[in-house]
């Protein structure tokens, strides 16, 4: 089972994706997602120039050893580029081993402990009426959990709200500029959640993403003001690298806290988990070192009563979503999985066996990850440089996006 080829494909079927394809001498093909939104080519070059040459002739079955070799062996550890590259190798190797064993990856991980993976969808609106309509559409589609984001009156742009339909923050050959005002947001957020609870009652799980924008004491105030609406979670209330900030939030409110989409390793979330300052850990399979490393993070979280809530935006490819579903099926401390629809063109490039029914996803029982990557179709969608927005306060200074 020696690796005979490893190649990187950058394509843009509706948005940019970086895909690693690994082939073994006996003809088994594995695929991994290496997409880092707005910095795609950095990971592509890291893989192409530094990692792929090292993979040739390695035994594809030695997944953990390959992980250690690429992590410890590089000396320069962690960071989004390195960990995304390692993640893509890891996913592709799990895919290969599953295919050669004739087993879906969740069977290799110890087998399913649940019948399906509860996911949350994204509802948003340019005003409260539009948010309510989109929320209602998600409930009609069967979602049991929905994230709510609404344009803040008085601001020209708001995170998570698109003026033109589907959520896609990356755009433009230069970063777009968003605007931010903490006071307007803190006054409006409870009204948004009140509207949802008034219209839909308490049965749907309600989530909200603050997207790293508050100070600890502002986040504490938000958490308290949302308590009557029984949130499933408030996500990323403050910039996550300041881990002790969460002690302040935690001590002030019973609104559950979810953090981690920008983390890349178990070390990034160690303090948050071991101090029980959060309720959900949101590291993703692509940005936190693949299935092998995410499984370790989730196991650490299990020890401290923290549940999982993997990041699953449309800027991770369907390969990443499938890998996350396989892992989600097997972890006892699973909480919820984020789901967003991929752009229409992605279906031509990624054929996935994952299925949604009654609020739950299942990755299917095909050997490996269950995603077929069509390289010829990918070639029809060349890379298209795009940036995430930057965010500025009303006085023009830069704020966290
Ligand atoms: O690339 C950035 C997006 O993945 C991020 O903004 C999405 O916050 C996000 C979420 O919770 O899905
Ligand atoms: Mg988020």
């Amino acid at each position: 089972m020696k690796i005979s080829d490893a190649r990187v494909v950058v394509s843009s079927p509706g948005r940019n994706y970086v895909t690693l394809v690994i082939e073994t001498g006996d003809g088994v093909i594995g695929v991994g997602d290496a997409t880092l939104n707005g910095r795609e080519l950095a990971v592509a070059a890291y893989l192409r120039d530094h990692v792929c040459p090292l993979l040739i002739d390695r035994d594809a079955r030695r997944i953990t050893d390959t992980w250690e070799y690429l992590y410890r062996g590089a000396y320069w550890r962690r960071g989004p580029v390195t960990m995304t590259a390692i993640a893509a190798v890891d996913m592709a190797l799990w895919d290969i081993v599953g295919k050669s064993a004739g087993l879906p990856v969740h069977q290799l991980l110890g087998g399913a402990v649940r019948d399906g993976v509860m996911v949350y969808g994204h509802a948003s609106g340019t005003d409260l009426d539009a948010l309510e309509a989109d929320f209602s559409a998600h409930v009609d589609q069967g979602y049991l959990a929905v994230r709510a984001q609404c344009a803040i009156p008085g601001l020209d742009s708001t995170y998570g709200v698109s003026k033109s339909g589907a959520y896609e923050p990356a755009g433009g050959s230069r970063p777009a500029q968003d605007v931010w005002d903490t006071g307007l947001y803190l006054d409006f957020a409870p009204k948004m959640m009140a509207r949802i609870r008034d219209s839909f009652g308490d049965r749907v799980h309600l989530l909200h993403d603050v997207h790293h924008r508050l100070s600890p004491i502002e986040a504490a105030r938000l958490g308290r003001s949302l308590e009557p609406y029984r949130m499933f979670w408030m996500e990323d209330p403050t910039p996550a690298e300041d881990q002790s900030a969460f002690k302040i939030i935690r001590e002030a409110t019973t609104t559950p806290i979810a953090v981690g989409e920008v983390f890349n390793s178990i070390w990034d979330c160690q303090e948050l988990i071991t101090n029980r300052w959060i309720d959900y850990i949101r590291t993703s399979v692509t940005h936190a070192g693949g299935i092998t490393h995410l499984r370790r993070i989730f196991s650490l979280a299990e020890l401290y009563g923290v549940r999982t809530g993997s990041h699953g935006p449309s800027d991770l490819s369907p390969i990443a979503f499938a890998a996350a579903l396989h892992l989600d099926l097997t972890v006892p401390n699973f909480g919820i999985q984020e789901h967003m629809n991929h752009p229409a063109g992605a279906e031509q490039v990624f054929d996935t066996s994952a299925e949604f029914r009654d609020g739950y996803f299942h990755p299917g029982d095909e050997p490996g990850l269950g995603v077929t990557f069509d390289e010829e179709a990918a070639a029809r969608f060349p890379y298209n440089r795009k940036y995430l927005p930057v965010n500025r306060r009303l006085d023009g200074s830069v704020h966290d996006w």
Side-chain angles (χ1 to χ4, degrees), residues 119-321:
V119 295
Y120 70 92
H122 281 214
S124 65
T126 47
D127 58 26
L128 288 175
D129 289 342
L131 169 63
E132 185 178 324
D134 198 21
F135 203 96
S136 174
H138 280 79
V139 172
D140 290 348
Q141 285 163 43
Y143 285 96
L144 304 172
V146 184
R147 172 184 117 154
Q149 309 289 138
C150 186
I152 302 166
L155 294 182
D156 274 354
S157 53
T158 302
Y159 165 76
V161 181
S162 150
K163 286 177 185 149
S164 61
Y167 168 91
E168 175 50 81
S173 53
R174 293 278 162 130
Q177 216 155 270
D178 283 358
V179 279
W180 178 252
D181 183 75
T182 300
L184 289 177
Y185 170 75
L186 285 176
D187 289 343
F188 181 64
K191 294 181 190 148
M192 192 186 339
M193 299 313 153
R195 173 69 174 260
I196 297 293
R197 285 298 182 217
D198 281 352
S199 305
F200 298 93
D202 276 345
R203 282 198 51 79
V204 187
H205 295 301
L206 175 58
L207 299 83
H208 178 66
D209 192 349
V210 188
H211 221 260
H212 325 275
R213 301 202 172 178
L214 301 176
S215 72
I217 206 68
E218 290 161 355
R221 177 179 147 199
L222 175 71
R224 279 200 185 172
S225 70
L226 297 184
E227 279 170 19
Y229 311 112
R230 204 182 51 74
M231 304 298 296
F232 188 92
W233 75 36
M234 70 172 172
E235 175 180 331
D236 288 334
T238 57
E241 61 267 41
D242 180 5
Q243 298 198 20
S244 61
F246 287 85
K247 184 173 191 295
I248 298 170
I249 310 171
R250 185 54 140 195
E251 285 170 356
T253 179
T254 56
T255 294
I257 304 165
V259 177
E261 67 181 48
V262 296
F263 290 162
N264 314 119
S265 78
I266 198 164
W267 309 105
D268 299 331
C269 32
Q270 181 183 14
E271 261 191 276
L272 289 180
I273 291 174
T274 58
N275 285 304
R276 303 173 192 266
W277 287 334
I278 58 172
D279 300 279
Y280 295 90
I281 183 70
R282 299 201 65 249
T283 35
S284 77
V285 70
T286 298
H287 299 148
I291 292 171
T292 299
H293 197 61
L294 197 56
R295 189 151 71 132
R296 295 221 166 104
I297 295 175
F298 288 176
S299 294
L300 175 68
E302 186 186 358
L303 275 179
Y304 293 90
V306 174
R307 286 188 281 165
T308 73
S310 258
H311 191 211
S314 48
D315 51 79
L316 302 182
S317 86
I319 299 169
F321 187 62

